[in-house]
Amino acid sequence: MIDEFLIRAAAAGLGLTLATGPLGSFVVWRRMAYFGDATAHAAVLGVALSFAFGLPVYVGTLAVALAMAVTVAGLASRGQAMDTVLGVLAHSALAFGLIAASFVAGLRVDLESFLFGDILSVGWGDVGLIWAGAAVVAGLLAWRWQALLTATVNEELARASGIDPRREQLVLTLALALTVAVAIKIVGALLIAALLIVPAAAARRLSRSPEAMALWAVAIGVASVLGGLAASLNWDTPGGPSIVGAAAAIFGLTLPFRRLR
């Protein structure tokens, strides 16, 4: 008989992969890995503010992640170097988040679970929020799929087709912020970007079309969640890092595929 906490953990992880698969593909295509890191690091500040003001963690995390995304987009549009802006904001947000957490009674004990995830502690309410958030992200990406692809491949072609690349960038920004908010309890702020990037990077070696890559990324994410939970159960390892470790192992197995093709 499988324990209920494992069923909840698996349900939460599988729901999250519906969002991280296609979204991670765009993160890889657009080389937005550092952007994902910056948004995830900002989530720690959102956690601290949520505890300080008695708000649900998902609300504070989403608010700060959105603020980070909008700030980055605004500074980049003013001519600031994107990698510099992301580096400054990512580390500053993480530092201020850890400082704020030190002033919130009781948060220090729970902070590690928000940094590295605690998927085994999710409740059915968390599972429902994760599936709802993932469904919104997946629906948003499906709705804007062709426009997003066109803007990713060639911005000039997108403009000629009547597509505003900045609007599509905003769509990805909103989707990324929402994904970070729902993922923080599963894999933690420091590992969210890895769950976005690693399955998509592995899927890239197995795919011949963008749609196939998104589907492969979801499948690899599912395998990573189940494999990571199995490793956590058998070897008593942390759930979030085990999931990312399983994804990394799958990525290693896909390395020969391009040479074989």
Side-chain angles (χ1 to χ4, degrees):
M1 183 71 178
I2 301 177
D3 292 324
E4 187 179 351
F5 75 91
L6 278 176
I7 297 175
R8 293 196 303 266
L14 297 180
L16 183 60
T17 60
L18 295 178
T20 57
L23 182 59
S25 299
F26 279 106
V27 169
V28 170
W29 292 331
R30 285 175 169 256
R31 300 180 181 178
M32 293 172 61
Y34 208 1
F35 187 91
D37 258 338
T39 308
H41 287 175
V44 177
L45 179 58
V47 170
L49 294 178
S50 297
F51 273 77
F53 293 101
L55 298 171
V57 171
Y58 295 113
V59 173
T61 303
L62 178 59
V64 173
L66 285 172
M68 167 67 80
V70 172
T71 301
V72 170
L75 290 175
S77 66
R78 294 183 180 182
Q80 298 287 337
M82 179 64 80
D83 58 341
T84 303
V85 169
L86 289 173
V88 170
L89 291 180
H91 296 99
S92 298
L94 180 59
F96 283 120
L98 294 174
I99 292 170
S102 68
F103 291 101
V104 180
L107 181 54
R108 287 186 180 183
V109 177
D110 298 327
L111 190 57
E112 184 177 344
S113 66
F114 290 109
L115 288 174
F116 300 104
D118 191 9
I119 189 172
L120 298 179
S121 71
V122 298
W124 285 117
D126 297 314
V127 173
L129 283 172
I130 290 165
W131 273 88
V136 170
V137 171
L140 183 62
L141 294 178
W143 172 49
R144 303 299 305 168
W145 182 262
Q146 196 57 53
L148 285 167
L149 275 180
T150 305
T152 298
V153 172
N154 191 311
E155 290 191 0
E156 295 299 325
L157 176 62
R159 291 190 184 94
S161 303
I163 299 169
D164 185 356
R166 289 177 299 179
R167 181 183 61 199
E168 305 311 319
Q169 176 71 32
L170 179 60
V171 169
L172 285 178
T173 297
L174 294 174
L176 187 59
L178 182 55
T179 301
V180 167
V182 299
I184 191 168
K185 202 165 186 179
I186 295 180
V187 291
L190 300 183
L191 299 174
I192 291 173
L195 190 60
L196 282 165
I197 296 165
V198 179
R204 194 172 197 173
R205 295 179 171 273
L206 305 174
S207 311
R208 295 183 180 273
S209 70
E211 293 78 13
M213 178 170 165
L215 292 175
W216 269 112
V218 172
I220 292 171
V222 168
S224 301
V225 168
L226 297 179
L229 288 176
S232 178
L233 179 65
N234 290 327
W235 299 319
D236 196 26
T237 54
S242 298
I243 291 171
V244 176
I250 295 173
F251 174 77
L253 293 174
T254 65
L255 289 177
F257 274 77
R258 181 167 294 179
R259 290 194 293 270
L260 289 175
R261 289 196 305 180

